[in-house]
Amino acid sequence: AQTVTQSQPEMSVQEAETVTLSCTYDTSESNYYLFWYKQPPSRQMILVIRQEAYKQQNATENRFSVNFQKAAKSFSLKISDSQLGDTAMYFCAFMIGGAGGTSYGKLTFGQGTILTVHP
Amino acid sequence: GAVVSQHPSWVICKSGTSVKIECRSLDFQATTMFWYRQFPKKSLMLMATSNEGSKATYEQGVEKDKFLINHASLTLSTLTVTSAHPEDSSFYICSTSVSTDTQYFGPGTRLTVL
C-alpha cells in the first residue's frame, strides 16, 4: 500500500515571498505519478503540477516547481512570488502508473497543508 | 482541462431520507469516476470507484448499501446516500479519469442531514 505524508498542517507566507511545502511518500512501485492539488476556499480541487517518476527533471508550471528526490521519496512544492490567490489547502497525491489492476487511476492523498498568504 | 459538474452543490435533508448526487463529465466520456468524502480541513477519502456499465468497487469500510453508486452512461455517475443520518453530513466530491495519470474533479456537494 502507498502512503503520502505532509508534515506541515499549516504554513504562512508574505505576499511576493517564496514558500516550500513538504511531502514524502512510501511505495514499492517503480512506475508512478505524483501530484500537487490546490483546494481554495471554494473547495474546487485544482491540479497544480504533476511529475512522472521516470523523469529526473523536476516539473515546473510558472511560479510552481517541485523538488523530486526519488531515492529519498520526497516531493516538495515551491511557490515563488506568492500571491493572495495562492491561499488554499494543498494536497500532495500519489498514483500508480500503468493501465489495469485494482489500483488503476486511484489517488492517494496526503493530509494536506493549509497555506495562508498575507498581504 | 476536462470539465466535471456536480449537482446539487448543496443539499439539506431530513434524517432517514435519501439523497442523490449527480456527477457529469461535460466534454468527454468517462469510463471511470471516483467518489470521495471530505470532512472540514481534512483530506479526501476515496469511497468507491465507479465504472460505466458495471458495479462500483468500494473501499474497505464503506457501506455499499448506504452509498449506492450507479454509472449508467459514459457521462453520468450518481451517488445515492440512503437513509441519511447526521453523521453522513460531509462534502462529497467526484472525479473522472481522463487518462491513466490525470484526474479532474467536480466542484463538490455539501450534504447536511438534519
Side-chain angles (χ1 to χ4, degrees):
Chain A
Q2 287 60 235
T3 60
V4 178
T5 303
Q6 294 177 249
S7 58
Q8 306 154 313
E10 295 188 39
M11 296 276 286
S12 63
V13 65
Q14 292 296 127
E15 197 173 9
E17 294 187 346
T18 295
V19 64
T20 299
L21 307 184
S22 301
C23 173
T24 58
Y25 61 94
D26 191 25
T27 184
S28 58
E29 301 287 335
S30 58
N31 181 17
Y32 56 88
Y33 302 90
L34 294 163
F35 306 84
W36 279 98
Y37 280 90
K38 166 185 176 180
Q39 189 180 42
S42 67
R43 302 192 79 171
Q44 170 73 60
M45 293 287 285
I46 301 167
L47 177 64
V48 175
I49 202 166
R50 62 190 285 274
Q51 173 84 40
E52 295 93 336
Y54 63 86
K55 288 188 177 179
Q56 292 185 333
Q57 186 173 7
N58 290 322
T60 62
E61 286 288 343
N62 300 314
R63 297 183 294 106
F64 299 88
S65 62
V66 298
N67 184 2
F68 175 44
Q69 301 290 326
K70 191 172 183 178
K73 296 180 180 174
S74 170
F75 183 62
S76 61
L77 174 70
K78 184 172 81 171
I79 305 174
S80 304
D81 185 25
S82 296
Q83 300 176 359
L84 297 178
D86 295 333
T87 293
M89 193 161 189
Y90 287 80
F91 292 98
C92 178
F94 173 101
M95 180 190 291
I96 294 175
T102 57
S103 297
Y104 174 75
K106 288 185 181 179
L107 282 169
T108 300
F109 286 94
Q111 302 91 327
T113 297
I114 298 173
L115 174 67
T116 303
V117 181
H118 297 285
Chain B
V3 179
V4 180
S5 71
Q6 278 185 245
H7 178 79
S9 58
W10 194 359
V11 57
I12 302 173
C13 70
K14 293 182 179 180
S15 185
T17 62
S18 295
V19 174
K20 180 183 286 188
I21 301 170
E22 294 184 346
C23 175
R24 293 183 184 273
S25 57
L26 299 183
D27 52 0
F28 64 97
Q29 294 181 330
T31 56
T32 303
M33 290 184 176
F34 301 91
W35 285 96
Y36 297 86
R37 183 175 182 176
Q38 185 184 30
F39 291 105
K41 296 187 178 181
K42 297 296 183 183
S43 188
L44 281 70
M45 181 193 79
L46 179 65
M47 300 174 66
T49 302
S50 169
N51 296 295
E52 188 268 336
S54 64
K55 290 184 178 180
T57 303
Y58 290 82
E59 295 299 303
Q60 193 171 11
V62 177
E63 298 178 62
K64 301 178 183 181
D65 295 332
K66 167 164 275 298
F67 299 102
L68 300 179
I69 292 173
N70 183 275
H71 194 158
S73 77
L74 288 172
T75 59
L76 174 64
S77 176
T78 60
L79 167 67
T80 301
V81 183
T82 62
S83 186
H85 291 285
E87 57 266 29
D88 298 325
S89 297
S90 189
F91 194 66
Y92 293 88
I93 307 174
C94 72
S95 72
T96 66
S97 180
V98 176
S99 63
T100 57
D101 59 9
T102 303
Q103 285 187 28
Y104 291 93
F105 289 80
T109 297
R110 181 185 297 178
L111 171 63
T112 301
V113 184
L114 302 177

Short mmCIF file of all heavy atoms in Angstrom, two decimals, chain A residues 50-100:
data_model
loop_
_atom_site.label_atom_id
_atom_site.label_comp_id
_atom_site.label_asym_id
_atom_site.label_seq_id
_atom_site.Cartn_x
_atom_site.Cartn_y
_atom_site.Cartn_z
N ARG A 50 2.20 18.08 -11.92
CA ARG A 50 2.35 16.64 -11.89
C ARG A 50 3.76 16.26 -12.27
O ARG A 50 4.44 16.99 -13.01
CB ARG A 50 1.34 15.97 -12.84
CG ARG A 50 1.51 16.35 -14.28
CD ARG A 50 0.34 15.84 -15.12
NE ARG A 50 0.42 14.41 -15.34
CZ ARG A 50 1.11 13.85 -16.33
NH1 ARG A 50 1.81 14.59 -17.15
NH2 ARG A 50 1.10 12.55 -16.50
N GLN A 51 4.18 15.10 -11.78
CA GLN A 51 5.54 14.62 -12.03
C GLN A 51 5.49 13.14 -12.31
O GLN A 51 4.89 12.38 -11.54
CB GLN A 51 6.42 14.89 -10.80
CG GLN A 51 7.81 14.29 -10.86
CD GLN A 51 8.80 15.17 -11.61
OE1 GLN A 51 8.80 16.39 -11.48
NE2 GLN A 51 9.64 14.55 -12.41
N GLU A 52 6.11 12.72 -13.42
CA GLU A 52 6.25 11.30 -13.68
C GLU A 52 7.49 10.80 -12.98
O GLU A 52 8.54 11.43 -13.06
CB GLU A 52 6.37 11.03 -15.19
CG GLU A 52 5.13 11.36 -15.98
CD GLU A 52 5.15 12.77 -16.55
OE1 GLU A 52 5.86 13.63 -15.99
OE2 GLU A 52 4.45 13.01 -17.55
N ALA A 53 7.39 9.66 -12.32
CA ALA A 53 8.52 9.17 -11.53
C ALA A 53 9.73 8.83 -12.39
O ALA A 53 10.87 8.91 -11.92
CB ALA A 53 8.09 7.95 -10.73
N TYR A 54 9.49 8.47 -13.66
CA TYR A 54 10.62 8.07 -14.51
C TYR A 54 11.38 9.27 -15.05
O TYR A 54 12.44 9.12 -15.64
CB TYR A 54 10.13 7.20 -15.66
CG TYR A 54 9.17 7.86 -16.61
CD1 TYR A 54 9.64 8.61 -17.68
CD2 TYR A 54 7.81 7.73 -16.45
CE1 TYR A 54 8.76 9.22 -18.57
CE2 TYR A 54 6.91 8.34 -17.33
CZ TYR A 54 7.40 9.08 -18.38
OH TYR A 54 6.54 9.67 -19.25
N LYS A 55 10.84 10.46 -14.85
CA LYS A 55 11.52 11.66 -15.32
C LYS A 55 12.38 12.25 -14.21
O LYS A 55 11.90 12.49 -13.11
CB LYS A 55 10.51 12.71 -15.79
CG LYS A 55 9.83 12.37 -17.10
CD LYS A 55 9.00 13.54 -17.60
CE LYS A 55 8.37 13.22 -18.95
NZ LYS A 55 7.54 14.33 -19.46
N GLN A 56 13.63 12.47 -14.49
CA GLN A 56 14.52 13.04 -13.48
C GLN A 56 14.35 14.54 -13.36
O GLN A 56 14.56 15.12 -12.30
CB GLN A 56 15.97 12.71 -13.82
CG GLN A 56 16.30 11.23 -13.70
CD GLN A 56 17.78 10.95 -13.93
OE1 GLN A 56 18.45 11.70 -14.63
NE2 GLN A 56 18.27 9.88 -13.33
N GLN A 57 13.95 15.17 -14.46
CA GLN A 57 13.80 16.62 -14.45
C GLN A 57 12.59 17.02 -13.61
O GLN A 57 11.50 16.45 -13.76
CB GLN A 57 13.64 17.14 -15.87
CG GLN A 57 13.62 18.65 -15.97
CD GLN A 57 13.62 19.13 -17.41
OE1 GLN A 57 13.52 18.34 -18.34
NE2 GLN A 57 13.73 20.44 -17.60
N ASN A 58 12.79 18.01 -12.75
CA ASN A 58 11.71 18.49 -11.92
C ASN A 58 10.69 19.27 -12.74
O ASN A 58 11.04 20.10 -13.58
CB ASN A 58 12.26 19.40 -10.82
CG ASN A 58 13.03 18.62 -9.78
OD1 ASN A 58 12.67 17.52 -9.41
ND2 ASN A 58 14.11 19.23 -9.29
N ALA A 59 9.40 19.00 -12.47
CA ALA A 59 8.34 19.70 -13.19
C ALA A 59 8.22 21.15 -12.72
O ALA A 59 8.47 21.46 -11.55
CB ALA A 59 7.01 18.97 -12.98
N THR A 60 7.86 22.02 -13.65
CA THR A 60 7.61 23.43 -13.32
C THR A 60 6.37 23.89 -14.06
O THR A 60 6.09 23.44 -15.18
CB THR A 60 8.80 24.33 -13.71
OG1 THR A 60 8.97 24.24 -15.13
CG2 THR A 60 10.07 23.89 -13.02
N GLU A 61 5.63 24.78 -13.41
CA GLU A 61 4.46 25.40 -14.01
C GLU A 61 4.41 26.83 -13.52
O GLU A 61 3.92 27.13 -12.44
CB GLU A 61 3.17 24.67 -13.61
CG GLU A 61 2.92 23.34 -14.25
CD GLU A 61 2.54 23.44 -15.72
OE1 GLU A 61 2.16 24.54 -16.17
OE2 GLU A 61 2.63 22.41 -16.40
N ASN A 62 4.97 27.70 -14.32
CA ASN A 62 5.00 29.13 -13.97
C ASN A 62 5.67 29.34 -12.61
O ASN A 62 6.84 29.03 -12.44
CB ASN A 62 3.59 29.70 -14.02
CG ASN A 62 2.96 29.56 -15.38
OD1 ASN A 62 3.57 29.85 -16.41
ND2 ASN A 62 1.73 29.07 -15.43
N ARG A 63 4.93 29.80 -11.61
CA ARG A 63 5.53 30.09 -10.30
C ARG A 63 5.66 28.83 -9.42
O ARG A 63 6.20 28.92 -8.31
CB ARG A 63 4.67 31.11 -9.57
CG ARG A 63 4.57 32.46 -10.26
CD ARG A 63 3.75 33.46 -9.44
NE ARG A 63 2.34 33.06 -9.33
CZ ARG A 63 1.80 32.57 -8.22
NH1 ARG A 63 2.51 32.43 -7.12
NH2 ARG A 63 0.52 32.24 -8.20
N PHE A 64 5.16 27.72 -9.91
CA PHE A 64 5.17 26.50 -9.12
C PHE A 64 6.23 25.54 -9.66
O PHE A 64 6.31 25.31 -10.87
CB PHE A 64 3.80 25.82 -9.18
CG PHE A 64 2.68 26.67 -8.63
CD1 PHE A 64 2.00 27.55 -9.44
CD2 PHE A 64 2.32 26.58 -7.29
CE1 PHE A 64 0.97 28.35 -8.94
CE2 PHE A 64 1.30 27.35 -6.78
CZ PHE A 64 0.62 28.25 -7.60
N SER A 65 7.02 24.98 -8.76
CA SER A 65 8.01 23.99 -9.16
C SER A 65 8.12 22.95 -8.06
O SER A 65 7.73 23.19 -6.92
CB SER A 65 9.37 24.65 -9.42
OG SER A 65 9.85 25.26 -8.24
N VAL A 66 8.62 21.79 -8.45
CA VAL A 66 8.78 20.72 -7.46
C VAL A 66 10.25 20.36 -7.35
O VAL A 66 11.05 20.58 -8.25
CB VAL A 66 7.95 19.47 -7.82
CG1 VAL A 66 6.47 19.81 -7.84
CG2 VAL A 66 8.40 18.88 -9.15
N ASN A 67 10.58 19.80 -6.20
CA ASN A 67 11.88 19.19 -5.96
C ASN A 67 11.62 17.71 -5.72
O ASN A 67 11.19 17.32 -4.63
CB ASN A 67 12.58 19.82 -4.77
CG ASN A 67 13.97 19.27 -4.55
OD1 ASN A 67 14.45 18.42 -5.33
ND2 ASN A 67 14.66 19.74 -3.53
N PHE A 68 11.82 16.92 -6.76
CA PHE A 68 11.53 15.50 -6.71
C PHE A 68 12.81 14.75 -6.42
O PHE A 68 13.75 14.72 -7.23
CB PHE A 68 10.93 15.06 -8.05
CG PHE A 68 10.69 13.58 -8.18
CD1 PHE A 68 10.12 12.86 -7.16
CD2 PHE A 68 11.02 12.92 -9.36
CE1 PHE A 68 9.88 11.50 -7.29
CE2 PHE A 68 10.79 11.56 -9.50
CZ PHE A 68 10.23 10.85 -8.47
N GLN A 69 12.87 14.13 -5.25
CA GLN A 69 14.01 13.32 -4.83
C GLN A 69 13.54 11.88 -4.73
O GLN A 69 13.02 11.46 -3.69
CB GLN A 69 14.55 13.83 -3.49
CG GLN A 69 15.00 15.27 -3.50
CD GLN A 69 16.27 15.47 -4.32
OE1 GLN A 69 17.13 14.60 -4.36
NE2 GLN A 69 16.35 16.61 -4.98
N LYS A 70 13.73 11.14 -5.81
CA LYS A 70 13.15 9.79 -5.89
C LYS A 70 13.73 8.86 -4.84
O LYS A 70 13.00 8.08 -4.22
CB LYS A 70 13.36 9.22 -7.29
CG LYS A 70 12.57 7.96 -7.57
CD LYS A 70 12.67 7.55 -9.02
CE LYS A 70 11.81 6.33 -9.29
NZ LYS A 70 11.85 5.95 -10.73
N ALA A 71 15.02 8.88 -4.65
CA ALA A 71 15.65 7.97 -3.69
C ALA A 71 15.16 8.26 -2.27
O ALA A 71 14.94 7.34 -1.47
CB ALA A 71 17.16 8.09 -3.77
N ALA A 72 14.98 9.50 -1.97
CA ALA A 72 14.51 9.90 -0.64
C ALA A 72 12.99 9.86 -0.54
O ALA A 72 12.44 10.06 0.55
CB ALA A 72 15.01 11.30 -0.32
N LYS A 73 12.31 9.61 -1.66
CA LYS A 73 10.85 9.59 -1.71
C LYS A 73 10.28 10.89 -1.16
O LYS A 73 9.41 10.90 -0.27
CB LYS A 73 10.29 8.36 -1.00
CG LYS A 73 10.70 7.06 -1.68
CD LYS A 73 10.15 5.83 -0.98
CE LYS A 73 10.60 4.59 -1.74
NZ LYS A 73 10.22 3.33 -1.05
N SER A 74 10.79 11.96 -1.72
CA SER A 74 10.38 13.30 -1.30
C SER A 74 9.90 14.07 -2.51
O SER A 74 10.46 13.96 -3.61
CB SER A 74 11.57 14.00 -0.64
OG SER A 74 11.30 15.36 -0.42
N PHE A 75 8.87 14.90 -2.31
CA PHE A 75 8.26 15.60 -3.44
C PHE A 75 7.72 16.93 -2.92
O PHE A 75 6.55 17.06 -2.62
CB PHE A 75 7.13 14.74 -4.02
CG PHE A 75 6.46 15.31 -5.24
CD1 PHE A 75 7.17 15.52 -6.41
CD2 PHE A 75 5.10 15.60 -5.24
CE1 PHE A 75 6.55 16.03 -7.54
CE2 PHE A 75 4.46 16.11 -6.37
CZ PHE A 75 5.19 16.33 -7.52
N SER A 76 8.59 17.93 -2.81
CA SER A 76 8.18 19.21 -2.24
C SER A 76 7.73 20.17 -3.33
O SER A 76 8.16 20.07 -4.48
CB SER A 76 9.31 19.82 -1.41
OG SER A 76 10.44 20.05 -2.23
N LEU A 77 6.89 21.10 -2.94
CA LEU A 77 6.35 22.11 -3.86
C LEU A 77 6.87 23.48 -3.45
O LEU A 77 6.71 23.88 -2.29
CB LEU A 77 4.82 22.12 -3.81
CG LEU A 77 4.12 23.22 -4.62
CD1 LEU A 77 4.28 22.98 -6.12
CD2 LEU A 77 2.64 23.31 -4.25
N LYS A 78 7.46 24.18 -4.40
CA LYS A 78 7.92 25.54 -4.15
C LYS A 78 7.02 26.51 -4.89
O LYS A 78 6.79 26.36 -6.10
CB LYS A 78 9.37 25.73 -4.58
CG LYS A 78 9.91 27.12 -4.24
CD LYS A 78 11.40 27.24 -4.50
CE LYS A 78 11.72 27.50 -5.95
NZ LYS A 78 13.15 27.82 -6.15
N ILE A 79 6.52 27.49 -4.15
CA ILE A 79 5.71 28.54 -4.75
C ILE A 79 6.50 29.84 -4.68
O ILE A 79 6.83 30.31 -3.58
CB ILE A 79 4.36 28.70 -4.02
CG1 ILE A 79 3.62 27.36 -3.96
CG2 ILE A 79 3.50 29.76 -4.72
CD1 ILE A 79 2.34 27.40 -3.13
N SER A 80 6.84 30.38 -5.82
CA SER A 80 7.60 31.63 -5.88
C SER A 80 6.65 32.81 -6.07
O SER A 80 5.54 32.66 -6.59
CB SER A 80 8.58 31.58 -7.05
OG SER A 80 9.42 30.46 -6.96
N ASP A 81 7.10 33.98 -5.60
CA ASP A 81 6.29 35.20 -5.77
C ASP A 81 4.84 34.94 -5.33
O ASP A 81 3.89 35.12 -6.10
CB ASP A 81 6.35 35.66 -7.23
CG ASP A 81 5.66 36.98 -7.47
OD1 ASP A 81 5.55 37.78 -6.53
OD2 ASP A 81 5.20 37.21 -8.62
N SER A 82 4.68 34.51 -4.11
CA SER A 82 3.36 34.12 -3.61
C SER A 82 2.34 35.24 -3.79
O SER A 82 2.63 36.43 -3.61
CB SER A 82 3.45 33.77 -2.12
OG SER A 82 4.27 32.65 -1.93
N GLN A 83 1.15 34.83 -4.16
CA GLN A 83 0.05 35.77 -4.37
C GLN A 83 -1.11 35.44 -3.43
O GLN A 83 -1.22 34.30 -2.96
CB GLN A 83 -0.42 35.70 -5.83
CG GLN A 83 0.68 36.05 -6.82
CD GLN A 83 0.25 35.88 -8.26
OE1 GLN A 83 -0.88 35.48 -8.55
NE2 GLN A 83 1.16 36.16 -9.18
N LEU A 84 -1.95 36.44 -3.18
CA LEU A 84 -3.07 36.23 -2.26
C LEU A 84 -3.96 35.08 -2.73
O LEU A 84 -4.53 34.33 -1.93
CB LEU A 84 -3.89 37.51 -2.13
CG LEU A 84 -3.16 38.71 -1.52
CD1 LEU A 84 -4.06 39.93 -1.48
CD2 LEU A 84 -2.65 38.40 -0.12
N GLY A 85 -4.06 34.91 -4.04
CA GLY A 85 -4.88 33.85 -4.61
C GLY A 85 -4.30 32.46 -4.40
O GLY A 85 -4.96 31.47 -4.70
N ASP A 86 -3.08 32.40 -3.90
CA ASP A 86 -2.48 31.09 -3.59
C ASP A 86 -2.97 30.54 -2.26
O ASP A 86 -2.70 29.38 -1.93
CB ASP A 86 -0.95 31.19 -3.56
CG ASP A 86 -0.36 31.56 -4.92
OD1 ASP A 86 -0.99 31.23 -5.95
OD2 ASP A 86 0.74 32.16 -4.94
N THR A 87 -3.66 31.36 -1.49
CA THR A 87 -4.21 30.90 -0.21
C THR A 87 -5.17 29.74 -0.47
O THR A 87 -6.15 29.87 -1.20
CB THR A 87 -4.94 32.04 0.51
OG1 THR A 87 -3.98 33.03 0.91
CG2 THR A 87 -5.68 31.53 1.73
N ALA A 88 -4.86 28.59 0.12
CA ALA A 88 -5.63 27.37 -0.15
C ALA A 88 -5.08 26.23 0.69
O ALA A 88 -4.05 26.38 1.37
CB ALA A 88 -5.53 26.99 -1.63
N MET A 89 -5.77 25.12 0.62
CA MET A 89 -5.22 23.88 1.18
C MET A 89 -4.56 23.14 0.03
O MET A 89 -5.14 23.01 -1.06
CB MET A 89 -6.33 23.04 1.79
CG MET A 89 -5.83 21.90 2.67
SD MET A 89 -7.12 21.29 3.76
CE MET A 89 -6.20 20.20 4.82
N TYR A 90 -3.34 22.66 0.26
CA TYR A 90 -2.59 21.97 -0.77
C TYR A 90 -2.43 20.51 -0.40
O TYR A 90 -2.05 20.17 0.72
CB TYR A 90 -1.21 22.62 -0.95
CG TYR A 90 -1.28 23.96 -1.64
CD1 TYR A 90 -1.63 25.11 -0.95
CD2 TYR A 90 -1.03 24.07 -3.01
CE1 TYR A 90 -1.73 26.34 -1.59
CE2 TYR A 90 -1.13 25.30 -3.66
CZ TYR A 90 -1.48 26.42 -2.94
OH TYR A 90 -1.58 27.63 -3.58
N PHE A 91 -2.71 19.66 -1.38
CA PHE A 91 -2.61 18.22 -1.17
C PHE A 91 -1.56 17.63 -2.11
O PHE A 91 -1.56 17.89 -3.31
CB PHE A 91 -3.95 17.54 -1.45
CG PHE A 91 -5.02 17.87 -0.47
CD1 PHE A 91 -5.96 18.84 -0.77
CD2 PHE A 91 -5.10 17.22 0.75
CE1 PHE A 91 -6.97 19.16 0.13
CE2 PHE A 91 -6.09 17.52 1.66
CZ PHE A 91 -7.03 18.50 1.35
N CYS A 92 -0.70 16.83 -1.53
CA CYS A 92 0.22 16.01 -2.30
C CYS A 92 -0.49 14.68 -2.56
O CYS A 92 -1.19 14.17 -1.67
CB CYS A 92 1.50 15.81 -1.48
SG CYS A 92 2.76 14.77 -2.24
N ALA A 93 -0.34 14.13 -3.75
CA ALA A 93 -1.04 12.89 -4.08
C ALA A 93 -0.18 11.98 -4.92
O ALA A 93 0.69 12.43 -5.67
CB ALA A 93 -2.35 13.21 -4.81
N PHE A 94 -0.48 10.69 -4.81
CA PHE A 94 0.30 9.63 -5.47
C PHE A 94 -0.65 8.77 -6.30
O PHE A 94 -1.77 8.49 -5.88
CB PHE A 94 0.97 8.79 -4.38
CG PHE A 94 1.67 7.55 -4.89
CD1 PHE A 94 3.05 7.54 -5.03
CD2 PHE A 94 0.97 6.38 -5.17
CE1 PHE A 94 3.71 6.40 -5.48
CE2 PHE A 94 1.62 5.24 -5.62
CZ PHE A 94 2.99 5.26 -5.76
N MET A 95 -0.18 8.34 -7.48
CA MET A 95 -0.96 7.43 -8.30
C MET A 95 -0.03 6.40 -8.92
O MET A 95 1.02 6.76 -9.48
CB MET A 95 -1.70 8.17 -9.41
CG MET A 95 -2.54 7.26 -10.31
SD MET A 95 -3.17 8.12 -11.77
CE MET A 95 -4.36 9.23 -11.03
N ILE A 96 -0.42 5.13 -8.84
CA ILE A 96 0.35 4.08 -9.50
C ILE A 96 0.19 4.23 -11.01
O ILE A 96 -0.90 4.50 -11.50
CB ILE A 96 -0.12 2.69 -9.05
CG1 ILE A 96 0.19 2.48 -7.56
CG2 ILE A 96 0.56 1.59 -9.87
CD1 ILE A 96 -0.35 1.18 -7.01
N GLY A 97 1.27 4.07 -11.73
CA GLY A 97 1.21 4.20 -13.17
C GLY A 97 0.80 2.92 -13.85
O GLY A 97 0.73 1.86 -13.23
N GLY A 98 0.50 2.99 -15.15
CA GLY A 98 0.12 1.83 -15.91
C GLY A 98 -1.37 1.58 -15.86
O GLY A 98 -2.05 1.97 -14.93
N ALA A 99 -1.88 0.91 -16.90
CA ALA A 99 -3.32 0.65 -17.00
C ALA A 99 -3.65 -0.67 -16.35
O ALA A 99 -2.83 -1.57 -16.24
CB ALA A 99 -3.73 0.64 -18.46
N GLY A 100 -4.90 -0.79 -15.94
CA GLY A 100 -5.38 -2.04 -15.38
C GLY A 100 -5.04 -2.21 -13.92
O GLY A 100 -4.35 -1.41 -13.32
#
